[in-house]
Amino acid sequence: MTGADPAGRPLDGVRVLDCTQMLSGPFATQLLADLGAEIVKIERPEVGDITRAVGPTVGDSDVSSYFASLNRGKRSVELDLSTASGAAAFERLAATADVVVENYRPGTMMEWGLEYDDLRTVNEELIYCSISGFLEGSNRDLAAFDMVVQALSGSMSVTGEADGPPARPGIPIGDISAGMYAALCVVTALYVHDRHGGQRIEVPMFEGLVSWLTERAGRTLATGDPYPRMGTAHPSLAPYRAFETDDGWFAVAVGSEGTWEAFCEAIDRPALADDPRYETNTDRVEHREELTAALEPLFAERSADEWFDLFRDCDVPGAPIRDTAEVFEDSHLRESEVTSDLSLGGVDMPLVQFPARFSHVDTGATREPPRLGEHTDDVLDRALDEDARRSVRDGGS
């Protein structure tokens, strides 16, 4: 592993073999790519990552927007790991890699002879990260779809309206939490590499999502009661919810007594601040229904943006609820330069870049999402001799 250039990106010089598909694994390796790692994405010949076939496509190109959103900054190599020649080629690649990340079903890499214990015979310094649905236990072999782990983890039970059914959060948080944990664990293993050398990392979607319950887990464990499903409302704070305006929805977050007083000023209802039913947050939670009934017709009188201006002037937390098209028209998002254009099959498409900023190093992708097998020849030519390359390309078993 070569040291990172202090003037470059944090993970410059780190080479990652990416044996992932769908969402959790590709998200993890895309984060590593944004931090400067060289990501070699291993894909099945002629098929590639499953998401390459998931629409819609970008403009007039054949590039899947799903695939593009998770695979920028990577290089694509077609390699059939289920064949003897493909497995041997991968082993040669692993001999000079720093990290392997995989999210196949548990046992798949072992079946191909490419588990951690197999690869450490050619590279003792290898960091090997496996993303799966569950740690060892009775559910270890369950198919790890985001919907399944969300259902089992409790996250769906706390999402939705109080009088409605459980709902799946609009973002695949089971996949994303596992991807973020995987990237964090890989960076941690690289940080302690000088002390511990190579090691195996196991990242579960289910247990990871349970850890995201945080305060909801704390409340449940303290009381023994399930955390309530309350839509946009909060069980311990009021007013803390979305209100309908005359042109959309507006989210209000009053979390302290000082904010409550400023809120009453922003909505021009000073009498509410003097009402004994709403004097403290405990009072407001107790009289939540009366307070909500008093505020709903008020918020319906103005637009969401008008309320946003009033709240901003009074330093009260609140904002319009944007849809996913409106957010990319947001002036602040443009000013923060989190989106950038990369060419996808000849079509320019804004992509959401790494959001954090460092004072001394750069982040973000400089390479467009790869075409299937785009870098096969280049990568294999560097790692294999002529006979091995011929065997791989001929599909030898």
Side-chain angles (χ1 to χ4, degrees):
M1 177 166 35
T2 61
D5 180 354
R9 299 193 294 168
L11 298 185
D12 279 347
V14 173
R15 182 174 297 122
V16 178
L17 299 184
D18 176 1
C19 300
T20 71
Q21 58 182 346
M22 292 298 290
L23 207 161
S24 62
F27 183 63
T29 52
Q30 181 168 267
L31 291 175
L32 298 175
D34 284 346
L35 292 171
E38 176 193 359
I39 309 296
V40 178
K41 185 175 179 70
I42 307 299
E43 302 192 71
R44 290 178 297 166
E46 300 181 6
V47 177
D49 190 314
I50 295 170
T51 61
R52 285 188 180 274
V54 178
T57 57
V58 179
D60 296 328
S61 74
D62 61 354
V63 179
S64 159
S65 60
Y66 193 135
F67 178 84
S69 69
L70 291 161
N71 290 283
R72 64 173 181 267
K74 304 179 184 180
R75 311 172 80 197
S76 172
V77 170
E78 289 183 282
L79 204 57
D80 188 348
L81 301 184
S82 68
T83 66
S85 62
F90 184 81
E91 188 175 276
R92 290 284 295 274
L93 293 174
T96 59
D98 300 298
V99 180
V100 168
V101 181
E102 63 92 8
N103 71 339
Y104 292 120
R105 193 159 186 163
T108 300
M109 293 293 272
M110 181 179 295
E111 178 184 334
W112 294 337
L114 299 174
E115 257 286 2
Y116 171 61
D117 287 337
D118 301 310
L119 296 181
R120 66 184 300 203
T121 62
V122 298
N123 186 352
E124 291 185 353
E125 303 301 308
L126 188 66
I127 294 166
Y128 191 105
C129 179
S130 295
I131 302 172
S132 61
F134 307 85
L135 293 176
E136 288 295 336
S138 57
N139 289 339
R140 174 66 170 171
D141 294 325
L142 281 181
F145 285 88
D146 181 82
M147 174 75 86
V148 173
V149 297
Q150 286 205 32
L152 289 172
S153 70
S155 64
M156 287 177 64
S157 76
V158 299
T159 306
E161 296 297 331
D163 57 353
R168 180 175 66 87
I171 295 173
I173 57 175
D175 282 312
I176 291 173
S177 69
M180 295 195 75
Y181 275 124
L184 173 63
C185 290
V186 167
V187 171
T188 301
L190 289 168
Y191 179 73
V192 300
H193 186 269
D194 288 345
R195 283 175 278 164
H196 300 290
Q199 60 179 305
R200 169 143 194 187
I201 303 165
E202 294 187 62
V203 177
M205 294 171 63
F206 167 69
E207 288 84 350
L209 201 47
V210 170
S211 77
W212 272 29
L213 292 177
T214 58
E215 178 271 336
R216 286 139 184 80
R219 183 186 180 100
T220 298
L221 295 172
T223 66
D225 298 322
Y227 194 89
R229 183 167 60 253
M230 300 182 64
T232 60
H234 193 291
S236 303
L237 299 170
Y240 198 105
R241 53 162 295 157
F243 290 93
E244 190 170 9
T245 70
D246 76 351
D247 68 346
W249 290 85
F250 189 83
V252 173
V254 174
S256 70
E257 304 311 331
T259 302
W260 166 245
E261 294 176 6
F263 170 82
C264 293
E265 177 185 348
I267 64 174
D268 195 24
R269 293 296 186 275
L272 285 177
D274 298 326
D275 191 319
R277 291 176 298 172
Y278 312 134
E279 185 175 357
T280 68
N281 179 67
T282 301
D283 297 327
R284 294 191 294 277
V285 170
E286 182 180 351
H287 298 282
R288 181 196 307 275
E289 292 185 6
E290 301 102 299
L291 179 57
T292 298
L295 294 176
E296 284 179 329
L298 176 63
F299 275 93
E301 295 175 2
R302 297 175 183 265
S303 71
D305 282 337
E306 287 178 296
W307 284 119
F308 196 21
D309 290 338
L310 287 168
F311 273 48
R312 204 183 335 231
D313 290 343
C314 295
D315 196 24
V316 179
I321 297 179
R322 308 285 197 213
D323 63 35
T324 59
E326 292 169 335
V327 69
F328 291 105
E329 298 299 323
D330 185 275
S331 59
H332 175 84
L333 190 67
R334 291 196 300 269
E335 292 159 3
S336 65
E337 299 180 344
V338 169
T339 59
S340 65
D341 289 340
L342 290 175
S343 177
L344 307 172
V347 179
D348 288 337
M349 173 186 172
L351 292 176
V352 182
Q353 293 278 10
F354 193 83
R357 296 291 183 266
F358 293 78
S359 63
H360 290 83
V361 291
D362 296 326
T363 60
T366 58
R367 185 192 299 272
E368 64 196 44
R371 298 187 301 277
L372 177 60
E374 179 179 352
H375 306 97
T376 301
D377 289 344
D378 178 46
V379 172
L380 295 186
D381 284 351
R382 285 190 294 159
L384 309 179
D385 59 33
E386 185 175 350
D387 288 341
R389 291 196 299 271
R390 185 181 303 110
S391 177
V392 170
R393 288 169 184 145
D394 290 343
S397 59

